[in-house]
Amino acid sequence: MTKHNLPTYAIVELLIRLEKHNSSIGGYKNHSVYDNGVIVKTSGGSITFSQLLITQQFEAPELITEDELANTATLFRASN
């Protein structure tokens, strides 16, 4: 899947949802798609999402549990 096939606003929505688990993540800046995930650059650093999670946020966000969001928030890496 290419960068342009992913709905950017689904990524932004995920970042908003993650804010309550880690307020340091910050806002969306850019993203890059790789075979093993989507690296999202934010104003606070970067975080990796699976394409499946982004698709789920787009198609059925209510199915993403708070535990999944909390686990995803641990993938955040702050800028140095």
Side-chain angles (χ1 to χ4, degrees), residues 12-66:
V12 172
E13 289 171 347
L14 278 170
L15 293 173
I16 291 168
R17 293 180 72 184
L18 290 174
E19 186 175 28
K20 71 179 177 181
H21 297 282
N22 185 341
S23 60
S24 299
I25 292 173
Y28 174 87
K29 291 180 103 177
N30 197 359
H31 70 275
S32 299
V33 178
Y34 298 95
D35 290 338
N36 58 346
V38 179
I39 298 176
V40 179
K41 293 191 188 244
T42 70
S43 55
S46 64
I47 189 166
T48 301
F49 293 136
S50 68
Q51 291 183 26
L52 178 64
L53 184 65
I54 296 168
T55 301
Q56 190 172 17
Q57 176 64 34
F58 178 67
E59 295 177 353
E62 68 280 2
L63 298 179
I64 301 172
T65 67
E66 286 301 315

